[in-house]
Amino acid sequence: MRIDVLTLFPEYLAPLELSLIGKARREGIVDLHVHQLRDFTHDRHRTVDDTPLGGGAGMVMKPEPWAEAFAAVQAAGRAELGEQARPLVVFPNPAGAPFAQATAQEWSGRDWIVFACGRYEGIDERVYEHLADGGVEVALASLGDYVLNGGEVAVLAITEAIVRLVPGVVGNAESLVEESHSEGLLEYPLYTRPASWTDPDGTLREAPEILLSGDHGRIAAWRREQSLARTAQRRPDLLEASERRGDAGAVTKP
Ligand SMILES: COc1cccc(COC(=O)c2cn[nH]c2)c1
C-alpha cells in the first residue's frame, strides 16, 4: 500500500515511522511519502491561505497549491504503481462521514491512499470539485464531532487503524478478529494471570471461574454474552446497527 500525505507540518507524521507502521514500512508492506504543501507555492512567502471570500473569521486554504500538489503526487504515484493506478483521496474533516472500523477494513484493501491535511478554517471548496471532476475518488472522513486544528492527528489515527489490518503487519492476525468493533460489538472483558489477585487496597479480585474451566465452548458463549451486554449498556446504537444488518447471531428484540 502506498500512502501519500500532503501537510503543512510533515514532522507531525513522524510517529508513523515508529512501531507497527515503521515495521510495515521496513518490510515494504507500506510505502509512506510525506509532502510539504508549501513546496507547491511560488511566492516569496510560500502563501497557502487567504481571508474568506464573503468575510468571516479565520483563513481559508487557497486552491492553487492543492491542485499543484495533487498533480505532483498523482504523477509520482503512477510512476511507482503504474499509469492506471488511481488513489483514494481522504480529507480528514469534521464535516465528513464518520470513520469507523468498517471504513478501516474497506480502506485496508486499497493500493494507494492520499491524505490531505486541512488547516485553518478549511480548504477552498473548488479543490474538492476539481478532484471530483477529474475522476478522483474523494472521501471526507470525520473522527468525531469535534474540531482539531488540522488533519494531521486524524491522519495518524486513520493510518494506524487501516495499516494494522493490512495482511502481514500485525504478527498474530488472530488478534484482529476478536477486538472491539471488529464484529460491530464491543469486546468482552479481558483477564490474564494471576487468576486470583489481592489489590493494593487488600481487596481480593478473582477472574471469572469459567475462564479457568478449559471448556472453550462455554467460554466462547460467555464472551459473546458479555460483548452483547456491554454493547447494550455502553453503545446501544451499535447493537441496533448490528440488528439492522442482521449480523450472524445478532440478538433480535424479544
Ligand atoms: C478540511 O479542513 C480542516 C480544517 C480544520 C481541521 C481539519 C481536520 O479535521 C478535523 O478537525 C476533524 C476530523 N474529524 N474530526 C475532526 C480539517
Side-chain angles (χ1 to χ4, degrees), residues 6-247:
L6 288 164
T7 173
L8 293 175
F9 297 95
E11 62 277 14
Y12 240 108
L13 285 300
L16 290 182
E17 316 277 341
L18 307 176
S19 74
L20 200 65
I21 309 300
K23 172 172 171 285
R25 294 187 70 185
R26 282 191 299 281
E27 291 174 7
I29 299 172
V30 170
D31 173 29
L32 178 71
H33 302 261
V34 181
H35 312 269
Q36 170 51 270
L37 184 66
R38 287 193 196 279
D39 290 349
F40 301 95
T41 61
H42 305 288
D43 62 304
R44 196 155 62 90
H45 298 293
R46 292 162 59 89
T47 308
V48 291
D49 63 318
D50 200 341
T51 53
L53 289 175
M59 301 294 274
V60 175
M61 300 188 89
K62 295 171 61 59
E64 303 97 322
W66 282 108
E68 212 174 294
F70 280 120
V73 164
Q74 297 247 35
R78 287 182 185 147
E80 181 192 341
L81 301 174
E83 281 315 305
Q84 303 313 315
R86 293 285 178 276
L88 167 67
V89 176
V90 176
F91 291 84
N93 191 318
F99 178 80
Q101 191 65 14
T103 324
Q105 294 277 4
E106 181 190 331
W107 290 356
S108 67
R110 301 294 298 237
D111 293 330
W112 181 17
I113 298 177
V114 176
F115 287 106
C117 298
R119 280 263 151 185
Y120 310 106
E121 300 308 308
I123 301 171
D124 187 299
E125 191 64 17
R126 291 168 292 180
V127 173
Y128 302 107
E129 293 165 1
H130 162 65
L131 290 170
D133 290 351
V136 175
E137 189 178 352
V138 174
L140 275 62
S142 168
L143 288 192
D145 295 334
Y146 49 82
V147 182
L148 301 167
N149 285 330
E152 289 78 9
V153 165
V155 169
L156 290 176
I158 293 171
T159 299
E160 181 160 319
I162 292 171
V163 170
R164 63 192 295 277
L165 298 177
V166 173
V169 171
V170 170
N172 172 13
E174 184 63 24
S175 66
L176 294 179
V177 174
E178 291 200 340
E179 55 194 6
S180 273
H181 299 288
S182 59
E183 302 275 308
L185 299 176
L186 301 186
E187 188 162 53
Y188 46 81
L190 299 171
Y191 298 86
T192 184
R193 280 181 282 272
S196 180
W197 171 55
T198 300
D199 79 6
D201 302 330
T203 307
L204 177 62
R205 298 183 184 281
E206 314 245 31
E209 274 299 315
I210 190 163
L211 298 179
L212 309 173
S213 69
D215 181 338
H216 298 294
R218 281 186 59 222
I219 290 171
W222 179 83
R223 285 174 166 170
R224 174 81 183 170
E225 180 196 302
Q226 292 290 315
S227 277
L228 289 167
R230 183 169 270 204
T231 308
Q233 203 247 326
R234 296 179 189 174
R235 291 293 304 276
D237 58 300
L238 289 179
L239 209 51
E240 281 146 29
S242 173
E243 285 160 2
R244 269 200 304 277
R245 280 195 306 269
D247 288 357

